[in-house]
Amino acid sequence: MDKLTQTDSLLDRLETDSVKKMLCGIDTLNTSQESKAYYKLLYSQYQYIVDDNFQDTTLLNDCIRFYEKKSDKEKLARSYYYKGECCFRNKDIQKALFR
């Protein structure tokens, strides 16, 4: 199991301390575009979980653009979900419902 998949599993179990350590240990400079998109999704998901004020959708927008071109519908759906949640927190309902 690679580090990103492990981190995803830890997020599913809400093991946020372990997730933080895993995310800090992942090299995002020398990796594929797919791995970078996955990292951005996991990082945004982690931030959403640990920070009640997290509203930044910049990384999620990158994920959405990437996953719209790929066949990974599950990660695309997660990207849209967390973007919607961040927009909702920001009371930007229009943006939460529409791109």
Side-chain angles (χ1 to χ4, degrees):
M1 184 183 294
D2 72 352
K3 285 185 178 184
L4 291 169
T5 306
Q6 282 181 295
T7 304
D8 204 350
S9 293
L10 293 169
L11 267 174
D12 284 343
R13 296 191 304 265
L14 299 176
E15 296 181 27
T16 55
D17 290 339
S18 297
V19 169
K20 182 178 181 179
K21 289 177 191 171
M22 291 291 287
L23 288 171
C24 289
I26 295 172
D27 176 17
T28 57
L29 294 177
N30 302 310
T31 190
S32 68
Q33 290 301 108
E34 185 173 4
S35 292
K36 286 179 184 176
Y38 195 13
Y39 177 89
K40 290 176 183 181
L41 174 59
L42 295 175
Y43 180 81
S44 296
Q45 187 175 343
Y46 165 78
Q47 287 297 118
Y48 177 82
I49 291 167
V50 299
D51 182 357
D52 290 338
N53 296 311
F54 181 71
Q55 301 169 4
D56 187 1
T57 60
T58 306
L59 296 179
L60 292 166
N61 288 331
D62 291 346
C63 295
I64 290 167
R65 278 191 295 277
F66 179 83
Y67 290 122
E68 281 180 337
K69 296 175 188 170
K70 300 296 175 186
S71 61
D72 196 333
K73 303 300 181 198
E74 188 270 336
K75 289 185 180 91
L76 177 61
R78 280 169 54 188
S79 299
Y80 273 121
Y81 172 80
Y82 283 102
K83 179 179 179 176
E85 287 293 317
C86 288
C87 291
F88 185 77
R89 277 186 178 175
N90 199 29
K91 300 193 183 351
D92 191 348
I93 306 305
Q94 191 72 13
K95 195 184 258 185
L97 295 175
F98 305 100
R99 294 163 130 199

